Amino acid sequence: MEAILKDRIVDIGRSGQRWLSVTHFFTPAHTPGLGRYHYGDEGARKRFMLEYERNAGSAVMLMKEIVGHIRKHDPDAIMLIFGDHGALVTRGMEEGESNAVYTAEDVVLDRYGVTFAVFPADFCRDRFRAGYALANIMVDVVQCMSAPAGSR
């Protein structure tokens, strides 16, 4: 974990104030663009999946380190962890298209489906639920953080 992020977490924990901090990680990444990957190239797909699996393990270790550091230095922190899209392994396919490897649903999930985790689990529970649209996340987080502690 970068020292600047570690220091930021410690400073926030000491401040006693409410903060909204956003950190972006590129790992485990997605398929390369600009014509360098196509779902129909089996060799490229296999190479990417091996790299993705290796990077996913690194991402898990990094996330554990960050979450542990936050919980140590700011035990009352609210954490939201989410992706911005899938791994884009269906790059080159059109929505609604399917083939021997991917279904039409796989294509949609690969483009728009993300994992979304909230801690503590009851933070903003009336808004964050299955089918939630991440396009609303910043507005909802700020509104929930602005609410009195018992109503979040």
Side-chain angles (χ1 to χ4, degrees):
M1 174 176 20
E2 297 289 329
I4 192 168
L5 179 57
K6 282 184 172 184
D7 292 345
R8 174 93 171 130
I9 292 166
V10 170
D11 291 345
I12 289 169
R14 287 181 183 154
S15 75
Q17 301 292 315
R18 287 185 179 175
W19 288 80
L20 176 61
S21 296
V22 177
T23 303
H24 175 265
F25 297 96
F26 190 69
T27 191
H30 54 68
T31 58
L34 305 172
R36 294 175 293 160
Y37 174 90
H38 189 273
Y39 71 91
D41 181 340
E42 187 175 344
R45 188 173 63 246
K46 286 181 179 179
R47 284 189 302 277
F48 171 75
M49 293 309 294
L50 286 172
E51 180 182 344
Y52 186 87
E53 288 173 17
R54 185 178 60 251
N55 290 341
S58 297
V60 167
M61 291 185 334
L62 178 61
M63 195 59 58
K64 284 181 178 182
E65 181 182 1
I66 292 168
V67 169
H69 197 69
I70 291 170
R71 297 204 54 198
K72 177 181 177 183
H73 294 283
D74 192 2
D76 296 325
I78 297 165
M79 292 179 267
L80 291 91
I81 301 169
F82 54 91
D84 55 350
H85 51 68
L88 302 180
V89 293
T90 61
R91 190 184 295 271
M93 293 180 69
E94 299 294 326
E95 284 187 37
E97 183 181 351
S98 61
N99 60 33
V101 179
Y102 300 110
T103 66
E105 182 181 15
D106 292 335
V107 176
V108 171
L109 291 173
D110 190 38
R111 310 271 164 80
Y112 308 109
V114 297
T115 298
F116 181 45
V118 179
F119 179 84
D122 61 348
F123 174 73
C124 218
R125 181 172 282 194
D126 63 322
R127 296 171 195 245
F128 301 146
R129 58 193 166 280
Y132 181 74
L134 285 177
N136 304 321
I137 194 165
M138 294 309 288
V139 169
D140 288 340
V141 166
V142 169
Q143 287 179 350
C144 289
M145 286 180 68
S146 300
S151 64
R152 291 186 261 203

